[in-house]
Amino acid sequence: MTRRVLILMRHGKSAYPTGIGDHERPLAPRGQREAALAGDWLREHQPPVDGILCSTSLRTRETLIATKLDAPTRFDETIYGASPHQLIDLVHGVDDAVSTLLILGHAPGMPYTTWELASNRSSPPAEQVSKKFPTSALAILEFDLPWYQLDTGLAELVAFHIPR
């Protein structure tokens, strides 16, 4: 079985322009900078991302652009506000040819899903996740199952990175 890597990323820091609804809020300059740093870190420390699931919100789309990651991408409106079980259901539909998947979404979905999937909840990365999952943060989970078999407690949280 191929080792799978699931990367859960929270969007970059967003701006709060007057009169703009939550779904259409853009990234703040800090969000652009930190999302670019997240992309750099991923390229340096993780296998190449070969599949991306991204929320349809403007700030997640802008975060993805700032990372400069280039992989087949599916934009899915259900990621916005998704529960861990909804996100896990999306993972179940990922093609077996994908070995490293990035999901780009929001809080609380990203931290809660990280916690749900992690088998090692007393590890240093899990302790970091339990304290705070800030904007542009990356949770790296690994497992040796097909995507459709991923479930609660079956992945190892191997890293948690906050690009600053």
Side-chain angles (χ1 to χ4, degrees):
M1 170 55 55
T2 302
R3 187 94 170 138
R4 308 271 186 207
V5 178
L6 175 61
I7 303 163
L8 299 177
M9 181 178 182
R10 186 174 171 200
H11 62 77
K13 178 73 176 164
S14 59
Y16 292 88
T18 304
I20 301 294
D22 186 69
H23 194 268
E24 295 308 314
R25 283 191 292 129
L27 285 183
R30 178 180 134 199
Q32 291 278 349
R33 183 178 64 255
E34 292 173 355
L37 291 171
D40 292 343
W41 185 86
L42 285 171
R43 278 185 291 283
E44 185 175 334
H45 297 282
Q46 296 302 312
V49 172
D50 54 357
I52 299 171
L53 295 173
C54 184
S55 167
T56 57
S57 76
L58 180 58
R59 62 191 177 274
T60 52
R61 291 181 284 135
E62 289 183 346
T63 298
L64 179 58
I65 291 167
T67 65
K68 297 183 181 164
L69 296 172
D70 184 24
T73 302
R74 187 173 98 214
F75 295 94
D76 193 307
E77 64 189 20
T78 63
I79 295 171
Y80 183 84
S83 71
H85 294 289
Q86 289 171 311
L87 290 169
I88 292 168
D89 283 346
L90 282 175
V91 170
H92 289 164
V94 171
D95 190 292
D96 281 337
V98 173
S99 60
T100 301
L101 175 68
L102 169 69
I103 301 180
L104 186 46
H106 308 266
M110 296 299 102
Y112 288 0
T113 303
T114 300
W115 193 253
E116 276 295 304
L117 292 173
S119 61
N120 55 332
R121 292 183 181 166
S122 61
S123 67
E127 288 177 20
Q128 285 183 284
V129 168
S130 72
K131 291 177 186 169
K132 190 172 184 182
F133 200 114
T135 53
S136 295
L138 301 154
I140 313 299
L141 297 128
E142 295 183 356
F143 55 97
D144 290 319
L145 298 166
W147 294 110
Y148 74 89
Q149 289 183 345
L150 181 62
D151 208 348
T152 301
L154 294 181
E156 180 183 2
L157 178 60
V158 296
F160 183 66
H161 179 71
I162 303 167
R164 298 287 187 256

